[in-house]
Amino acid sequence: MPYDYDVLIVGAGPAGTACALGLAGSGLRVGLLDKAQFPRDKVCGDAIPSPALKALTRLNPAWAAELRELTAGHRTDMRTSRLVSPAGTGVSVHWKAPAFNSPRLHFDDALLTLVRRHTATGIRENSAVKTVTADADGAAVQLTDGTRLTARLLIGCDGAHSAVARALAPAPLDRTRHCAAVRAYFEDVDDVPATTSDFLFLGRYRAGYCWVFPVGAGRFNVGFGMLSSDVARQKLNLKLVLQELLETHPHLVPRFTRARQLTPIQGFGLPLGGSARPLTGPRALFCGDAAALIDPLQGHGIDTAVISGLLAAEHAARCCAANTFGSEALAPYAAAVQHRLGRDLARRYRLMRLLARAPWLVEGAFKAAQWPPLRRVLVRAMA
């Protein structure tokens, strides 16, 4: 049967754009759709970890350099992380690998610009998905405007509430493997060097942290997140928690005395990696948040989104070349994600839960990190 696309990618965030870039030159008819018009904001911590940049550099060094040009003026290169324990012990970690913070409004638009410039991908913005179906003959996406698009293979890159995953591989929400977070943008925050990200760990709110991230142009992404099961058990309003922290925490009060809040506090969810959430479905592969690949220990997911998107591109090309899309044909993608990301994410989830149950370990780790050789061990564990 004729198809509109060989591969249709749903979601034009980091996972979807990485997948489209990975399919450049494949000769396949690739479509990329998103419900929004770019540039669009995405509520997030805005940290772009070094593995994301390394993965794009391996794909094409010129594209990685172009990404840095496109985000110039809208990013801050990160060199140092300052961590504060619940008891107030501080540790500074200096990073050698390149990483930066950038508002998703600009970073995601830059990635989509690369797709426009360097691939033949058919891009459809303002294209919200209504229904998704798949069978032995192919996959189809019905848009809210009535348009029907067909493909040999779908790539679900449409976030934590993925329409593709809900339709083809539904999984219940497990609050013990999900984090809730809030963030707002501020300016005129004191004592935050331009290349330093701050992490504050709190005794009252375990399995989470507060952050202050410079994101360029004198702005700061300020937020707080913790395990969703703890949020529900303690009946917390995270927006109020963040406001309280800024007004009472001894390490935050002096920094925010003259700060000005630029945006409302907004919430978002983070499906944590290390779970048994499906990575494939009928005629579909899932990437990024749609595959629950958020780092449970540090809360970032741009790197895992980019890496999983590139892996999906590799396996989509293989399936299309062989013209086989059954579960056995898709299984190698799940195995590749598990090998590259899954085992490490599962280990980090176990470590996060251990630290949440035993706060004395957190303080012990901070005290041990005062000694440089042990600090290097902790840095390797976090990297």
PDB file of all heavy atoms in Angstrom, residues 107-124:
ATOM      1  N   PHE A 107      16.810  26.511  22.301  1.00  0.00           N
ATOM      2  CA  PHE A 107      17.568  25.302  21.978  1.00  0.00           C
ATOM      3  C   PHE A 107      16.789  24.398  21.029  1.00  0.00           C
ATOM      4  O   PHE A 107      17.323  23.932  20.016  1.00  0.00           O
ATOM      5  CB  PHE A 107      17.910  24.544  23.262  1.00  0.00           C
ATOM      6  CG  PHE A 107      18.674  23.273  23.028  1.00  0.00           C
ATOM      7  CD1 PHE A 107      20.000  23.311  22.653  1.00  0.00           C
ATOM      8  CD2 PHE A 107      18.067  22.035  23.179  1.00  0.00           C
ATOM      9  CE1 PHE A 107      20.720  22.135  22.426  1.00  0.00           C
ATOM     10  CE2 PHE A 107      18.769  20.866  22.969  1.00  0.00           C
ATOM     11  CZ  PHE A 107      20.101  20.917  22.583  1.00  0.00           C
ATOM     12  N   ASP A 108      15.526  24.150  21.322  1.00  0.00           N
ATOM     13  CA  ASP A 108      14.737  23.273  20.465  1.00  0.00           C
ATOM     14  C   ASP A 108      14.546  23.884  19.083  1.00  0.00           C
ATOM     15  O   ASP A 108      14.549  23.174  18.066  1.00  0.00           O
ATOM     16  CB  ASP A 108      13.379  22.992  21.103  1.00  0.00           C
ATOM     17  CG  ASP A 108      13.478  22.070  22.312  1.00  0.00           C
ATOM     18  OD1 ASP A 108      14.602  21.864  22.817  1.00  0.00           O
ATOM     19  OD2 ASP A 108      12.437  21.566  22.767  1.00  0.00           O
ATOM     20  N   ASP A 109      14.367  25.198  19.018  1.00  0.00           N
ATOM     21  CA  ASP A 109      14.224  25.858  17.725  1.00  0.00           C
ATOM     22  C   ASP A 109      15.510  25.752  16.912  1.00  0.00           C
ATOM     23  O   ASP A 109      15.463  25.586  15.682  1.00  0.00           O
ATOM     24  CB  ASP A 109      13.852  27.327  17.936  1.00  0.00           C
ATOM     25  CG  ASP A 109      13.441  28.011  16.637  1.00  0.00           C
ATOM     26  OD1 ASP A 109      12.564  27.472  15.930  1.00  0.00           O
ATOM     27  OD2 ASP A 109      14.000  29.077  16.326  1.00  0.00           O
ATOM     28  N   ALA A 110      16.660  25.808  17.600  1.00  0.00           N
ATOM     29  CA  ALA A 110      17.934  25.656  16.894  1.00  0.00           C
ATOM     30  C   ALA A 110      18.071  24.254  16.300  1.00  0.00           C
ATOM     31  O   ALA A 110      18.532  24.094  15.157  1.00  0.00           O
ATOM     32  CB  ALA A 110      19.092  25.944  17.846  1.00  0.00           C
ATOM     33  N   LEU A 111      17.688  23.246  17.058  1.00  0.00           N
ATOM     34  CA  LEU A 111      17.741  21.877  16.529  1.00  0.00           C
ATOM     35  C   LEU A 111      16.828  21.720  15.315  1.00  0.00           C
ATOM     36  O   LEU A 111      17.191  21.093  14.316  1.00  0.00           O
ATOM     37  CB  LEU A 111      17.336  20.884  17.617  1.00  0.00           C
ATOM     38  CG  LEU A 111      18.368  20.577  18.707  1.00  0.00           C
ATOM     39  CD1 LEU A 111      17.750  19.683  19.779  1.00  0.00           C
ATOM     40  CD2 LEU A 111      19.607  19.901  18.121  1.00  0.00           C
ATOM     41  N   LEU A 112      15.615  22.291  15.391  1.00  0.00           N
ATOM     42  CA  LEU A 112      14.689  22.195  14.258  1.00  0.00           C
ATOM     43  C   LEU A 112      15.242  22.956  13.053  1.00  0.00           C
ATOM     44  O   LEU A 112      15.030  22.534  11.907  1.00  0.00           O
ATOM     45  CB  LEU A 112      13.319  22.724  14.658  1.00  0.00           C
ATOM     46  CG  LEU A 112      12.186  22.509  13.639  1.00  0.00           C
ATOM     47  CD1 LEU A 112      12.024  21.021  13.320  1.00  0.00           C
ATOM     48  CD2 LEU A 112      10.877  23.091  14.156  1.00  0.00           C
ATOM     49  N   THR A 113      15.956  24.040  13.297  1.00  0.00           N
ATOM     50  CA  THR A 113      16.602  24.768  12.201  1.00  0.00           C
ATOM     51  C   THR A 113      17.621  23.891  11.493  1.00  0.00           C
ATOM     52  O   THR A 113      17.724  23.915  10.255  1.00  0.00           O
ATOM     53  CB  THR A 113      17.275  26.043  12.732  1.00  0.00           C
ATOM     54  OG1 THR A 113      16.276  26.909  13.278  1.00  0.00           O
ATOM     55  CG2 THR A 113      18.018  26.775  11.629  1.00  0.00           C
ATOM     56  N   LEU A 114      18.377  23.097  12.258  1.00  0.00           N
ATOM     57  CA  LEU A 114      19.316  22.166  11.630  1.00  0.00           C
ATOM     58  C   LEU A 114      18.589  21.167  10.735  1.00  0.00           C
ATOM     59  O   LEU A 114      19.061  20.834   9.639  1.00  0.00           O
ATOM     60  CB  LEU A 114      20.109  21.418  12.710  1.00  0.00           C
ATOM     61  CG  LEU A 114      21.097  22.226  13.551  1.00  0.00           C
ATOM     62  CD1 LEU A 114      21.784  21.319  14.572  1.00  0.00           C
ATOM     63  CD2 LEU A 114      22.132  22.912  12.678  1.00  0.00           C
ATOM     64  N   VAL A 115      17.448  20.672  11.205  1.00  0.00           N
ATOM     65  CA  VAL A 115      16.673  19.728  10.399  1.00  0.00           C
ATOM     66  C   VAL A 115      16.224  20.400   9.102  1.00  0.00           C
ATOM     67  O   VAL A 115      16.296  19.806   8.015  1.00  0.00           O
ATOM     68  CB  VAL A 115      15.462  19.206  11.197  1.00  0.00           C
ATOM     69  CG1 VAL A 115      14.588  18.308  10.319  1.00  0.00           C
ATOM     70  CG2 VAL A 115      15.919  18.442  12.427  1.00  0.00           C
ATOM     71  N   ARG A 116      15.751  21.645   9.192  1.00  0.00           N
ATOM     72  CA  ARG A 116      15.297  22.361   8.001  1.00  0.00           C
ATOM     73  C   ARG A 116      16.446  22.562   7.006  1.00  0.00           C
ATOM     74  O   ARG A 116      16.251  22.434   5.795  1.00  0.00           O
ATOM     75  CB  ARG A 116      14.734  23.730   8.397  1.00  0.00           C
ATOM     76  CG  ARG A 116      13.388  23.691   9.098  1.00  0.00           C
ATOM     77  CD  ARG A 116      12.794  25.100   9.145  1.00  0.00           C
ATOM     78  NE  ARG A 116      11.487  25.089   9.778  1.00  0.00           N
ATOM     79  CZ  ARG A 116      11.253  25.445  11.040  1.00  0.00           C
ATOM     80  NH1 ARG A 116      12.271  25.819  11.804  1.00  0.00           N
ATOM     81  NH2 ARG A 116      10.027  25.410  11.535  1.00  0.00           N
ATOM     82  N   ARG A 117      17.621  22.889   7.521  1.00  0.00           N
ATOM     83  CA  ARG A 117      18.742  23.236   6.651  1.00  0.00           C
ATOM     84  C   ARG A 117      19.419  22.026   6.027  1.00  0.00           C
ATOM     85  O   ARG A 117      19.924  22.108   4.900  1.00  0.00           O
ATOM     86  CB  ARG A 117      19.789  24.028   7.449  1.00  0.00           C
ATOM     87  CG  ARG A 117      19.370  25.431   7.842  1.00  0.00           C
ATOM     88  CD  ARG A 117      20.475  26.104   8.655  1.00  0.00           C
ATOM     89  NE  ARG A 117      20.156  27.485   9.012  1.00  0.00           N
ATOM     90  CZ  ARG A 117      20.926  28.274   9.752  1.00  0.00           C
ATOM     91  NH1 ARG A 117      22.095  27.807  10.211  1.00  0.00           N
ATOM     92  NH2 ARG A 117      20.562  29.506  10.037  1.00  0.00           N
ATOM     93  N   HIS A 118      19.442  20.911   6.741  1.00  0.00           N
ATOM     94  CA  HIS A 118      20.324  19.822   6.332  1.00  0.00           C
ATOM     95  C   HIS A 118      19.624  18.512   5.999  1.00  0.00           C
ATOM     96  O   HIS A 118      20.308  17.515   5.740  1.00  0.00           O
ATOM     97  CB  HIS A 118      21.359  19.577   7.435  1.00  0.00           C
ATOM     98  CG  HIS A 118      22.184  20.784   7.754  1.00  0.00           C
ATOM     99  ND1 HIS A 118      23.080  21.331   6.859  1.00  0.00           N
ATOM    100  CD2 HIS A 118      22.236  21.571   8.867  1.00  0.00           C
ATOM    101  CE1 HIS A 118      23.662  22.393   7.400  1.00  0.00           C
ATOM    102  NE2 HIS A 118      23.167  22.568   8.610  1.00  0.00           N
ATOM    103  N   THR A 119      18.312  18.478   6.029  1.00  0.00           N
ATOM    104  CA  THR A 119      17.606  17.246   5.682  1.00  0.00           C
ATOM    105  C   THR A 119      16.436  17.569   4.747  1.00  0.00           C
ATOM    106  O   THR A 119      16.049  18.732   4.598  1.00  0.00           O
ATOM    107  CB  THR A 119      17.057  16.527   6.932  1.00  0.00           C
ATOM    108  OG1 THR A 119      15.861  17.180   7.385  1.00  0.00           O
ATOM    109  CG2 THR A 119      18.080  16.513   8.065  1.00  0.00           C
ATOM    110  N   ALA A 120      15.898  16.523   4.163  1.00  0.00           N
ATOM    111  CA  ALA A 120      14.710  16.662   3.305  1.00  0.00           C
ATOM    112  C   ALA A 120      13.436  16.326   4.072  1.00  0.00           C
ATOM    113  O   ALA A 120      12.393  16.055   3.472  1.00  0.00           O
ATOM    114  CB  ALA A 120      14.858  15.744   2.082  1.00  0.00           C
ATOM    115  N   THR A 121      13.494  16.362   5.396  1.00  0.00           N
ATOM    116  CA  THR A 121      12.354  16.017   6.245  1.00  0.00           C
ATOM    117  C   THR A 121      11.162  16.926   5.962  1.00  0.00           C
ATOM    118  O   THR A 121      11.304  18.146   5.877  1.00  0.00           O
ATOM    119  CB  THR A 121      12.750  16.147   7.728  1.00  0.00           C
ATOM    120  OG1 THR A 121      13.894  15.337   7.969  1.00  0.00           O
ATOM    121  CG2 THR A 121      11.614  15.727   8.631  1.00  0.00           C
ATOM    122  N   GLY A 122       9.993  16.315   5.832  1.00  0.00           N
ATOM    123  CA  GLY A 122       8.761  17.080   5.723  1.00  0.00           C
ATOM    124  C   GLY A 122       8.299  17.498   7.112  1.00  0.00           C
ATOM    125  O   GLY A 122       7.947  16.644   7.931  1.00  0.00           O
ATOM    126  N   ILE A 123       8.321  18.788   7.400  1.00  0.00           N
ATOM    127  CA  ILE A 123       8.013  19.304   8.741  1.00  0.00           C
ATOM    128  C   ILE A 123       6.615  19.884   8.759  1.00  0.00           C
ATOM    129  O   ILE A 123       6.249  20.701   7.900  1.00  0.00           O
ATOM    130  CB  ILE A 123       9.045  20.375   9.157  1.00  0.00           C
ATOM    131  CG1 ILE A 123      10.459  19.774   9.188  1.00  0.00           C
ATOM    132  CG2 ILE A 123       8.683  20.975  10.510  1.00  0.00           C
ATOM    133  CD1 ILE A 123      11.549  20.802   9.394  1.00  0.00           C
ATOM    134  N   ARG A 124       5.834  19.461   9.758  1.00  0.00           N
ATOM    135  CA  ARG A 124       4.470  19.969   9.932  1.00  0.00           C
ATOM    136  C   ARG A 124       4.335  20.492  11.356  1.00  0.00           C
ATOM    137  O   ARG A 124       4.369  19.702  12.308  1.00  0.00           O
ATOM    138  CB  ARG A 124       3.425  18.877   9.682  1.00  0.00           C
ATOM    139  CG  ARG A 124       3.460  18.265   8.292  1.00  0.00           C
ATOM    140  CD  ARG A 124       2.421  17.164   8.182  1.00  0.00           C
ATOM    141  NE  ARG A 124       1.081  17.703   8.304  1.00  0.00           N
ATOM    142  CZ  ARG A 124       0.218  17.849   7.296  1.00  0.00           C
ATOM    143  NH1 ARG A 124       0.598  17.501   6.067  1.00  0.00           N
ATOM    144  NH2 ARG A 124      -0.983  18.324   7.487  1.00  0.00           N
TER     145      ARG A 124
END
